[in-house]
Amino acid sequence: MPQLSTTSVHKQYRGYPINTNSPIPYDATNHAESESFHASIFSISLTVKDLGKSLAWYHDVLGFAIDRKIEREGKLQSVALKAGNARISINQDDGAKGWDRIKGEGFSLNITTDQNIDKIAKRIKAHGGTLESEPAYIPWGSRIFRLKDPDGFKLAISSPRPA
């Protein structure tokens, strides 16, 4: 078993000090580990207040392609979207749990791409999207920006972490 590092590295992230001293060994990601679970694709399903508005945002603003649409009794109920290996399903909320419930709190959808982060952010703004943060480098070398969808779900789009 690798020895745990006791060296503390202090860096700044978004103006706040962070301590990179972790119980996970520094070189833990450099060694393959036997997996008890291996996923080939990760997708998420979101319940949205206005399916048409969310579809326009994910498709037109963010740039996801429509994979399939699901209708029930002639009414659009769900849309499966894709961007590379990323999959998002958006589903019409039926209001059974209340129309005012807060969505998107406590988590963020993190999407990593090899594409130019600044060009993606520029395209999103040109199509009416609003960024929560402009593209910026983070201490571990990735470039990232953040935004919210029409229901308040948070997304972070970043470049891969440098090797």
Side-chain angles (χ1 to χ4, degrees), residues 62-90:
L62 202 53
F64 273 73
I66 297 170
D67 192 27
R68 69 182 178 281
K69 293 180 178 181
I70 299 168
E71 293 183 3
R72 221 175 274 138
E73 298 175 6
K75 185 174 179 186
L76 187 62
Q77 294 294 314
S78 180
V79 180
L81 303 156
K82 65 180 181 176
N85 287 329
R87 303 286 191 263
I88 296 177
S89 292
I90 51 175

Side-chain angles (χ1 to χ4, degrees), residues 44-104:
I44 190 158
S45 179
L46 305 174
T47 301
V48 299
K49 194 173 204 174
D50 183 333
L51 184 58
K53 184 176 181 179
S54 292
L55 176 57
W57 191 85
Y58 279 97
H59 182 261
D60 301 336
V61 175
L62 202 53
F64 273 73
I66 297 170
D67 192 27
R68 69 182 178 281
K69 293 180 178 181
I70 299 168
E71 293 183 3
R72 221 175 274 138
E73 298 175 6
K75 185 174 179 186
L76 187 62
Q77 294 294 314
S78 180
V79 180
L81 303 156
K82 65 180 181 176
N85 287 329
R87 303 286 191 263
I88 296 177
S89 292
I90 51 175
N91 309 286
Q92 179 62 57
D93 193 339
D94 63 5
K97 295 183 179 179
W99 290 111
D100 295 328
R101 66 183 170 140
I102 298 172
K103 297 181 182 182

